[in-house]
Each structure stands twice: as structure tokens, then as C-alpha cells.
Amino acid sequence: MSAPPTLDIKLNGREFRVACTPGEREPLLAAVAFLDGRMTEIAKQTRNTGERLAVMTALDLAHELTSLKRPQTTLDDVPDFRRRIVAMEARLDEALAHQEDLF
């Protein structure tokens, strides 16, 4: 049984060896470049290094990811909102029409 293919990467000046199939090589290198850039930015802003820098970068990226996953209202949603408002108005008008007969 042979060892899985690996790739040597560098993050914040430190070298790491990670498992990587040939098909994952380019996307992984892009992720490494992105992460290294983000770590460099955060290191300049916070003067953190080592494990603390890695945790702060992970937290920053996790916050960004969860913000992107939250449903956000866009202009594309406006027609649906208008349709729903018109339907609610129609139901209210129908309910209130019967109230006028009471007075």
C-alpha cells in the first residue's frame, strides 16, 4: 500500500505537507494563496503570530462564510414580497368587509 500523494505548502512562512490528489492540486494551491494572504493581512492588523494568528484567521474566515450563508433580501425578492402583500391586503379587505355589516 503506497502513501497518498502529498503537496508541500507554505503558510505565513511555515512549511506544511498535506495530502493532495493530483486533481485537487490547483484548487488547493489557490486556497493556500488566499489563506496566506488573509493571514498576512491579519498579522499586520493585529501583530499576532503563530497559533493565535491561525485562530484569528480561522475565526475571520468562519465569520465571513456564515455571513454569506445567511439569507439576504435582494431586489430579486421584491416581486415576491409585493405579491404576498397584495394577497394579505385582499384577505384583510375580505375580513373587514364583514365587519362593516355589524355597525
Side-chain angles (χ1 to χ4, degrees):
M1 180 184 236
S2 65
T6 61
L7 177 66
D8 292 329
I9 63 169
K10 190 182 272 190
L11 288 169
N12 197 38
R14 292 187 59 196
E15 291 188 17
F16 300 90
R17 178 167 285 162
V18 295
C20 177
T21 64
E24 295 173 322
R25 188 178 196 291
E26 292 307 314
L28 182 58
L29 287 174
V32 168
F34 177 77
L35 180 57
D36 191 52
R38 187 63 68 95
M39 288 180 84
T40 299
E41 288 174 24
I42 292 173
K44 286 178 186 175
Q45 294 170 359
T46 65
R47 294 190 172 94
N48 286 325
T49 60
E51 186 177 308
R52 183 159 176 81
L53 174 60
V55 169
M56 295 304 293
T57 304
L59 182 59
D60 184 62
L61 291 172
H63 177 261
E64 186 176 313
L65 178 63
T66 56
S67 295
L68 291 173
K69 286 186 172 184
R70 265 187 238 125
Q72 297 176 352
T73 302
T74 66
L75 290 177
D76 295 335
D77 298 324
V78 171
D80 183 50
F81 289 145
R82 284 191 179 147
R83 181 190 57 74
R84 291 171 61 192
I85 290 170
V86 167
M88 284 188 265
E89 286 176 336
R91 280 186 279 171
L92 284 170
D93 288 342
E94 184 180 328
L96 293 174
H98 299 294
Q99 296 297 319
E100 291 175 7
D101 295 339
L102 296 175
F103 299 103

